[in-house]
Amino acid sequence: MTEPVSRALPSRARVVVIGGGVGGTSVAYHLALSGERDVVLVDRNELTSGSTFHSAGLVGQLRSDPTLTAMNRYSVELYRSLQQGENPPGWVECGSIRLASTQERWEEIRRQDGWAASSGLQMQLISAPEAQELFPLMATDGVVGACFLPTDGQVDPSQLTYSLAAGARAMGVQILTHTRVVGIDTEGEGLRRRVTRVRTDKGDIECELVVDCGGMFAAQIARLVGVRVPIVPMSHQYVVTEAMFEHRETPLPSLRDPDNLVYYRQEVDGLVMGGYERQSQPWTASASAYDRIPADFNGRLLQPDHDRFVEISENAAIRVPSIADVGIRSFINGPEGFTPDNEFCLGPTDVGGFFVAAGYCAHGIAGAGGIGKVMAEWVLEGAPPMDLWHMDVRRFGGSYRSPSYTLARTVENYESYYDIRYPAHERRAGRPLRTSPVYAWHAAHGASFGEKSGWERVNYYESNSHVDDEAWRPRGWAGRHWAPAVVPEHRAARETAALFDESSFAKIEVSGPDAAPLMQWVCDNDVARGAGSVTYTQALNARGGIECDFTVTQLGTALFLVVTGTAFANHDASWLRTQARELDADVRITDVTGAWACFGLWGPNAREILAPLTPQDLGNDAFPFLAMRETTIGDVPVRMVRVTFVGELGWEMYCPAEYGARLWQTLWDAGSTHRLVAGGYRAIDSLRLEKGYRVWGADIDPAHTPYEAGLGFCVRLEKPGGFLGRDALAAQKEAGITQRLACLVLDDRSQVALGNEPVRVADAVVSRVTSGGIGYTLGASIAFGYLPVGLAEPGTRVEVGIFGEWVGATVTKDPLYDPRSERVRS
Ligand SMILES: Cc1cc2nc3c(=O)[nH]c(=O)nc-3n(C[C@H](O)[C@H](O)[C@H](O)COP(=O)(O)OP(=O)(O)OC[C@H]3O[C@@H](n4cnc5c(N)ncnc54)[C@H](O)[C@@H]3O)c2cc1C
């Protein structure tokens, strides 16, 4: 294979890719494949001199996120096809085995079997002896069962990188090694700031677009342009053993034994063996400082840390006893970029034209093909081809500017890498960080907190638990972190009144002369209907896919408040900023989340509770549904917004944060004679399922349009001036949709879908669950999933695969609860 040679530095290119590891070369390859040939890739040293050259090269495809599974499947297709070309990457399709050495792990594998089915990935459940037949070196002691994925494999990471580089060069990409990026220039201020030039130690390259593929160096590179990318270099170790077996005709599959924290793959006549230590070792990053990777750390490794590897070595010999009898050929301790949640950092940033594709958390070889493909489309088209929310760099909010918080979260994730992730499991690192003004009240009243985007949020109050409600506990994993307190909290919202602290809801102010035209262009609904109007809307990409889903309150002629989910502050603000930049709009976009407390009071008694507290007439004429009024509640100035995410009469009340504790107490005291119950987010989720309210990132996403999601009622195709995504929606309306989000009611109330379960009709898997849970008013287990339109008709019988069991379900007209919204408008 020929080494890409360094050439003279071009003075300009449309796209500059920084980093010549497997990530950067794949991005460059796919940019060229997508038709963009004006691309320069630079690396400060040789290609593969970061983490790539010392990778173990395992390629596993199945992940909990269906999008990532799809990306990894594409990687395999690509590596398979490259293997047939002039520059084969050393792809060996040996398959992989994952063992269950505990009963819980076996349940996890059965759950993963469902994910595989819904992703169309081949996977077989096998017995311990069958696993041993495939991997004769293993001992079966304690193995409950296993799964085998025949299309997984292994690849030579350096050869793969050179193969992608050769392909990219053949399509016109210029690759310049020994060219270090030392600066990135921008022009414009605030929203209008864009990259213009990449400065290197060999000269400058004018450009429109930059993709930071710097792996563990990506944070350092992003700092050149003032962007925070929360990636921490972590030491990761494996060994290569001496010969352990005779030559084999068929390669050994790779083997993972997560209960013992280890993995193995064949390396000639020995094994590569590595794992995830319980004691991790961050490298150059600390609680008080960002990473400081030395300038000359090129193509280098760290000193072996034998002490930290003892547990892995001992465990390895439990599963493969003969490994204890052979010597070690090489001991690799290489740093790799990890993120606080073990997912990649992909996508655009707040600096126009500056993209990131890094932080691959020791699965970058498996991911590289898919990453290149989605990034090329994201960079060139402005939107990725699939729902990449879980990998979108914008999921990290301001908290991750802190090195100590980033480090704590990353370390926790690394050290629990192979742990079973039970649904509704809560993380512990770095908590509590962001708290509502009522946090102390919640704690004193028995709150069980969950964490989202650093916010402590009430899941439920233990004090609301009644023994009788135990009868609702779902079977299996769904019942593990289930709490009986959710039932009375749900019931209160339907029957009397419930009070929820929603202060963590993300709040974004859009102001300035172009605020109204910007919001009208970004939203599919008509959101500029005058001060005091409230509109539920989506923001779409050019393909009509739902990029954001939020409520817009018009506060003044040139002032709008966007309220969106807790986790989406950064993402949605960034989407708005990007569109503002594209339009050259004169606006300010400010995240004001922490400045405002927000409490929701809903239920049939809501009006009675609130009326004595406010001079505002709460009748339907004076205060209709989807309206906002500035008024007071008790002593507190508030914005009352008549909306609901639970499907009942009621209001969200916003006040400056410093009044929050007083407002909450006022509401609580007033509710004491009206059977007011304080509730948490688990009850809200159950209530919204009954009412068919969609959750962005689960039920709705950039890959689905409002028509497909059942949100066509928000679309104003005839809006003067149009809106982003309008043409795509108009075309879809004309052609008709082919799939629709359907509501499924399961036959067995105790079987609860948690997301990603396969949905089948007559033995053919046709969909997967997007979200699910119990509706306590309807007494039903409810799930959502996209179905072909022919199957999305009410009455269609389907089956949902829950932990290996096929549970019958019926497609049911949505919403299940109060379909005419009479209660909301009562
Ligand atoms: C021990 C170990 C085992 C692993 N095993 C596996 C495995 O089995 N399967 C799997 O899928 N993944 C595995 N990984 C992870 C995988 O190797 C990485 O995710 C992947 O190689 C990262 O690729 P990258 O292109 O993002 O980064 P890198 O390979 O680090 O590339 C970044 C490049 O950026 C260049 N660069 C940095 N700064 C600058 C600058 N200022 N200017 C120009 N260039 C710059 C660097 O020189 C480098 O070449 C493993 C990782 C380790 C450490």
Side-chain angles (χ1 to χ4, degrees):
M1 198 171 297
T2 48
E3 160 88 0
V5 288
S6 299
R7 310 191 202 146
L9 194 81
S11 60
R12 73 157 309 282
R14 181 154 187 247
V15 191
V16 175
V17 176
I18 306 172
V22 71
T25 50
S26 182
V27 168
Y29 174 89
H30 285 91
L31 283 168
L33 204 60
S34 306
E36 180 54 74
R37 310 284 161 100
D38 191 6
V39 179
V40 171
L41 182 150
V42 291
D43 195 289
R44 69 185 203 169
N45 194 58
E46 297 296 333
L47 298 183
T48 83
S49 44
S51 300
T52 300
F53 82 94
H54 50 69
S55 171
L58 279 80
V59 176
Q61 297 165 89
L62 184 62
R63 308 285 297 189
S64 59
D65 177 356
T67 307
L68 186 50
T69 304
M71 286 164 63
N72 291 349
R73 285 185 68 192
Y74 170 79
S75 294
V76 165
E77 282 168 26
L78 176 69
Y79 305 165
R80 201 186 275 148
S81 76
L82 290 174
Q83 187 65 19
Q84 306 308 316
E86 280 179 28
N87 300 290
W91 171 246
V92 180
E93 202 156 313
C94 54
S96 81
I97 300 169
R98 191 177 177 88
L99 299 178
S101 300
T102 60
Q103 194 56 43
E104 289 77 16
R105 186 73 63 180
W106 179 235
E107 282 173 32
E108 183 189 49
I109 285 182
R110 285 173 50 203
R111 182 165 191 231
Q112 290 167 340
D113 192 35
W115 298 347
S118 62
S119 298
L121 185 66
Q122 286 182 56
M123 171 162 155
Q124 299 151 19
L125 298 184
I126 57 175
S127 65
E130 285 170 326
Q132 192 183 38
E133 209 170 299
L134 290 164
F135 196 99
L137 299 172
M138 70 168 261
T140 55
D141 309 22
V143 176
V144 182
C147 63
F148 178 57
L149 291 110
T151 57
D152 279 356
Q154 61 189 57
V155 71
D156 181 314
S158 293
Q159 267 178 249
L160 173 61
T161 306
Y162 281 104
S163 175
L164 290 164
R169 281 202 320 139
M171 289 184 280
V173 172
Q174 296 188 60
I175 296 181
L176 298 142
T177 51
H178 298 280
T179 306
R180 181 183 297 256
V181 173
V182 294
I184 300 169
D185 292 347
T186 59
E187 67 179 16
E189 293 292 318
L191 289 174
R192 293 191 171 86
R193 192 162 166 244
R194 287 197 66 91
V195 293
T196 52
R197 188 180 301 107
V198 167
R199 285 190 279 120
T200 81
D201 57 358
K202 300 279 164 62
D204 298 351
I205 311 172
E206 308 252 336
C207 60
E208 291 168 38
L209 301 159
V210 175
V211 193
D212 174 359
C213 296
M216 65 178 163
F217 311 83
Q220 201 177 64
I221 293 167
R223 287 199 292 274
L224 295 173
V225 72
V227 166
R228 171 69 177 142
V229 179
I231 290 176
V232 177
M234 303 283 287
S235 134
H236 193 58
Q237 308 193 96
Y238 66 84
V239 295
V240 185
T241 72
E242 288 180 341
M244 289 180 69
F245 46 85
E246 299 290 312
H247 172 75
R248 291 169 51 90
E249 283 306 317
T250 48
L252 276 178
S254 49
L255 178 73
R256 292 182 183 80
D257 186 1
D259 297 304
N260 282 310
L261 311 175
V262 288
Y263 61 78
Y264 317 77
R265 74 158 172 82
Q266 181 178 348
E267 175 71 15
V268 196
D269 51 3
L271 289 179
V272 160
M273 184 278 288
Y276 283 82
E277 308 90 340
R278 287 267 175 232
Q279 259 193 308
S280 64
Q281 188 58 61
W283 181 60
T284 75
S286 70
S288 58
Y290 298 132
D291 52 275
R292 281 179 283 208
I293 304 171
D296 62 352
F297 194 84
N298 301 313
R300 284 168 54 187
L301 292 169
L302 305 175
Q303 282 301 314
D305 187 343
H306 294 281
D307 289 348
R308 213 157 47 81
F309 207 63
V310 168
E311 186 186 8
I312 301 287
S313 303
E314 288 174 357
N315 287 1
I318 296 174
R319 188 53 62 219
V320 177
S322 54
I323 209 165
D325 305 327
V326 293
I328 300 300
R329 237 177 229 154
S330 50
F331 192 122
I332 308 292
N333 182 0
E336 155 76 337
F338 279 79
T339 65
D341 60 4
N342 249 335
E343 303 292 353
F344 308 148
C345 286
L346 306 182
T349 66
D350 276 343
V351 175
F354 186 76
F355 289 78
V356 180
Y360 299 161
C361 311
H363 51 284
I365 306 299
I371 290 167
K373 185 172 174 6
V374 299
M375 283 306 300
E377 193 154 339
W378 213 337
V379 170
L380 299 176
E381 308 287 331
M386 28 174 67
D387 169 25
L388 290 178
W389 164 238
H390 297 117
M391 297 163 236
D392 191 324
V393 65
R394 293 167 295 179
R395 71 190 179 278
F396 295 113
S399 322
Y400 289 94
R401 284 206 294 272
S402 152
S404 57
Y405 188 67
T406 305
L407 186 70
R409 305 284 285 181
T410 306
V411 161
E412 180 190 50
N413 237 311
Y414 184 100
E415 294 179 355
S416 58
Y417 181 84
Y418 272 142
D419 287 359
I420 294 172
R421 313 268 157 171
Y422 291 106
H425 160 84
E426 293 290 346
R427 298 184 57 184
R428 285 203 285 272
R431 296 178 60 185
L433 182 68
R434 306 171 82 185
T435 56
S436 125
V438 201
Y439 179 68
W441 189 99
H442 300 318
H445 287 76
S448 172
F449 290 102
E451 178 269 333
K452 194 163 253 186
S453 290
W455 280 95
E456 292 297 321
R457 312 188 324 159
V458 178
N459 278 338
Y460 53 86
Y461 297 87
E462 286 289 0
S463 46
N464 286 330
S465 296
H466 295 299
V467 210
D468 296 353
D469 292 321
E470 268 298 326
W472 286 94
R473 186 178 289 277
R475 278 166 56 188
W477 280 22
R480 226 167 234 271
H481 294 293
W482 181 86
V486 178
V487 185
E489 292 174 12
H490 170 117
R491 287 233 170 85
R494 293 274 184 258
E495 294 166 13
T496 54
L499 181 60
F500 300 95
D501 182 353
E502 297 179 332
S503 299
S504 69
F505 274 10
K507 308 162 199 95
I508 303 160
E509 257 179 27
V510 182
S511 59
D514 293 334
L518 171 71
M519 292 306 292
Q520 288 291 62
W521 173 247
V522 167
C523 299
D524 61 355
N525 209 334
D526 181 5
V527 296
R529 295 180 294 112
S533 65
V534 179
T535 313
Y536 170 53
T537 185
Q538 293 76 45
L540 312 178
N541 57 40
R543 292 191 304 265
I546 304 172
E547 289 287 341
C548 316
D549 177 73
F550 45 54
T551 306
V552 177
T553 301
Q554 186 166 8
L555 299 171
T557 321
L559 179 60
F560 294 79
L561 178 71
V562 173
V563 177
T564 182
T566 304
F568 310 140
N570 224 29
H571 175 275
D572 291 7
S574 173
W575 181 259
L576 291 168
R577 287 188 187 115
T578 302
Q579 306 320 317
R581 193 182 306 118
E582 297 292 317
L583 288 185
D584 198 20
D586 186 1
V587 290
R588 270 173 63 87
I589 296 171
T590 317
D591 181 346
V592 295
T593 303
W596 294 85
C598 170
F599 309 131
L601 198 157
W602 290 292
N605 297 347
R607 193 177 273 123
E608 277 172 66
I609 295 171
L610 292 169
L613 302 175
T614 175
Q616 172 65 45
D617 180 348
L618 300 180
N620 276 326
D621 292 340
F623 204 153
F625 184 55
L626 294 179
M628 183 281 296
R629 300 286 180 260
E630 303 261 7
T631 181
T632 56
I633 299 274
D635 297 336
V636 179
V638 295
R639 272 181 199 152
M640 289 183 82
V641 183
R642 190 158 168 202
V643 286
T644 177
F645 198 53
V646 305
E648 296 294 338
L649 166 72
W651 285 264
E652 280 177 358
M653 282 149 286
Y654 295 78
C655 68
E658 69 273 20
Y659 293 98
R662 179 65 167 271
L663 177 58
W664 180 271
Q665 194 63 52
T666 304
L667 296 168
W668 182 245
D669 292 345
S672 61
T673 50
H674 296 273
R675 292 163 60 207
L676 179 69
V677 172
Y681 278 88
R682 297 270 180 87
I684 293 179
D685 196 49
S686 153
L687 291 155
R688 72 96 196 163
L689 271 170
E690 289 185 334
K691 192 70 176 92
Y693 293 142
R694 278 69 169 138
V695 171
W696 191 83
D699 307 312
I700 51 179
D701 57 45
H704 293 98
T705 69
Y707 292 137
E708 292 164 339
L711 298 174
F713 64 89
C714 294
V715 178
R716 298 284 175 271
L717 283 182
E718 66 297 341
K719 193 165 64 166
F723 57 87
L724 182 55
R726 184 210 167 271
D727 294 349
L729 286 193
Q732 188 179 56
K733 192 171 184 194
E734 176 87 21
I737 53 171
T738 56
Q739 54 176 333
R740 187 184 319 137
L741 190 66
C743 175
L744 314 176
V745 175
L746 278 66
D747 296 348
D748 180 352
R749 185 188 89 184
S750 69
Q751 292 274 23
V752 173
L754 299 163
N756 286 345
E757 290 83 356
V759 179
R760 75 176 186 185
V761 176
D763 288 345
V765 173
V766 291
S767 181
R768 65 175 184 86
V769 169
T770 56
S771 71
I774 308 177
Y776 299 100
T777 301
L778 302 172
S781 172
I782 303 165
F784 284 92
Y786 286 89
L787 289 176
V789 277
L791 297 174
E793 289 304 313
T796 305
R797 290 289 295 163
V798 301
E799 287 177 301
V800 181
I802 299 181
F803 288 90
E805 206 176 310
W806 289 101
V807 181
T810 306
V811 176
T812 309
K813 196 165 165 28
D814 162 49
L816 300 169
Y817 178 78
D818 188 22
R820 288 210 287 273
S821 287
E822 284 161 354
R823 295 176 71 90
V824 170
R825 294 189 152 80
S826 62

